[in-house]
Amino acid sequence: MPSSRFVYITYIRTTPAKLWQALIGPEFTRQYWVQTWQESQWKPGAPWKLMIPDGRVGDSGKVLEIEPQRKLVLSWRNEFKPELRNEGYSRATFELEQQGESVKLTVIHEIDKPDSKLIESVSGGWPLILASLKSLLETGKPLEETRHWPKGH
Amino acid sequence: MPSDVDKVFKALADPGRRLLLDRLHAENGQTLGQLCQRMNMTRQAVTKHLKQLEEANLVATIWRGREKLHYLNPVPIHQIAERWIDKFERGRLRVIADLKRKLEGESDA
């Protein structure tokens, strides 16, 4: 079946432990992921939510696979834009792999459906968020553009 | 270091490899077989070029089922742009690029 997929690989000078904490820790995500944070028990099958600063649920799903410091797979549905929500569940995969003094981070966001609006939308957001994550871990500062939830969204 | 900037410039310094990147830009997520179509290159040469692009992190590959899919990874080019193209220059450069495109026609080459 034709699918839509976003793929991104970046090398971050950090450790798998720190990167893992930055991916799931609310005190980190609030800094580089436009003030959002995730709520989950972080166990296989546990519900997962991405919370927007004004209290809305941005996206939700389940933890499909979790291997701390190595791999996280989430099912992921947008909750606040009807045309995206109607596409149903996508899948987001985060893989961490130590390579020398860096960690190779692979992010794949995909849905079993061609020309997905959700994948188009996240393809615009992920590069900025992930560049900001890298900046935060390497320099202690996230990118300015990702510090606040975009107005009117 | 796979993100080494030398590797990125070396990888970009070949018209065949740039063509492969253009083809992925037009349609992301292709197999080796798809990328070999309409290429004036042997399958072996395409494989070698893709390996070099992957080592420079310009191409990301993932396995889905039995297929190895190739994706354009914009990270190194973004890093180059950030390093050398100042945010304030970008607007002016875009105006010049637009003007050049209008004067020369739409071709990217």
Side-chain angles (χ1 to χ4, degrees):
Chain A
M1 188 179 186
S3 51
S4 307
R5 188 176 290 122
F6 167 81
V7 177
Y8 186 100
I9 293 180
T10 186
Y11 292 82
I12 304 178
R13 276 194 311 278
T14 187
T15 62
K18 281 185 189 158
L19 179 52
W20 184 261
Q21 201 46 46
L23 282 172
I24 67 172
E27 69 281 20
F28 290 99
T29 61
R30 280 196 181 100
Q31 296 180 63
Y32 70 84
W33 195 339
V34 289
Q35 293 181 302
T36 62
W37 70 95
Q38 301 160 91
E39 286 182 1
S40 179
Q41 296 290 318
W42 302 114
K43 283 186 281 198
W48 166 88
K49 277 191 282 193
L50 183 77
M51 304 300 296
I52 300 177
D54 62 17
R56 282 179 297 165
V57 176
D59 304 85
S60 77
K62 271 184 188 169
V63 176
L64 299 177
E65 259 183 77
I66 185 163
E67 214 183 310
Q69 301 183 26
R70 288 184 57 86
K71 192 176 187 185
L72 175 65
V73 186
L74 302 169
S75 67
W76 180 309
R77 183 177 72 182
N78 181 280
E79 295 296 341
F80 68 100
K81 287 185 181 164
E83 76 272 23
L84 301 184
R85 190 176 193 275
N86 287 341
E87 289 191 352
Y89 287 98
S90 63
R91 195 164 58 250
T93 303
F94 302 83
E95 279 185 280
L96 291 67
E97 194 186 318
Q98 177 103 50
Q99 288 207 355
E101 290 179 3
S102 299
V103 182
K104 177 185 181 185
L105 172 67
T106 304
V107 177
I108 302 169
H109 202 147
E110 59 199 328
I111 192 166
D112 295 332
K113 155 183 217 321
D115 308 317
S116 158
K117 287 264 184 301
L118 173 74
I119 299 304
E120 190 189 319
S121 165
V122 298
S123 299
W126 276 129
L128 208 52
I129 290 161
L130 295 168
S132 189
L133 163 66
K134 176 178 164 78
S135 175
L136 176 66
L137 286 168
E138 292 184 349
T139 71
K141 278 188 189 166
L143 301 183
E144 198 51 48
E145 299 93 309
T146 61
R147 290 202 185 165
H148 302 286
W149 179 256
K151 280 198 183 102
H153 278 74
Chain B
M1 245 325 276
S3 59
D4 192 338
V5 83
D6 289 346
K7 282 189 181 171
V8 176
F9 281 112
K10 254 182 210 159
L12 290 172
D14 178 275
R17 287 193 289 274
R18 290 197 298 272
L19 180 59
L20 284 168
L21 292 177
D22 286 338
R23 301 256 322 249
L24 288 176
H25 187 256
E27 194 193 336
N28 225 352
Q30 298 187 59
T31 61
L32 174 63
Q34 288 170 314
L35 283 169
C36 285
Q37 284 166 24
R38 292 175 291 120
M39 283 292 277
N40 210 0
M41 253 188 253
T42 62
R43 195 178 171 93
Q44 254 178 328
V46 174
T47 305
K48 214 174 135 193
H49 283 320
L50 286 173
K51 187 168 175 267
Q52 207 167 336
L53 289 167
E54 199 177 344
E55 279 170 3
N57 199 27
L58 286 159
V59 163
T61 59
I62 60 165
W63 285 92
R64 279 297 175 269
R66 286 165 60 192
E67 287 189 326
K68 188 182 188 184
L69 306 176
H70 299 77
Y71 285 84
L72 185 67
N73 191 37
V75 178
I77 292 173
H78 181 238
Q79 282 166 352
I80 289 170
E82 280 217 313
R83 178 163 165 187
W84 281 289
I85 305 172
D86 186 85
K87 282 197 181 93
F88 301 103
E89 295 285 354
R90 195 164 291 167
R92 286 195 294 167
L93 289 171
R94 186 164 294 147
V95 172
I96 295 168
D98 285 347
L99 178 64
K100 185 170 150 68
R101 203 172 299 131
K102 274 198 193 111
L103 293 174
E104 294 180 352
E106 285 301 309
S107 168
D108 268 346

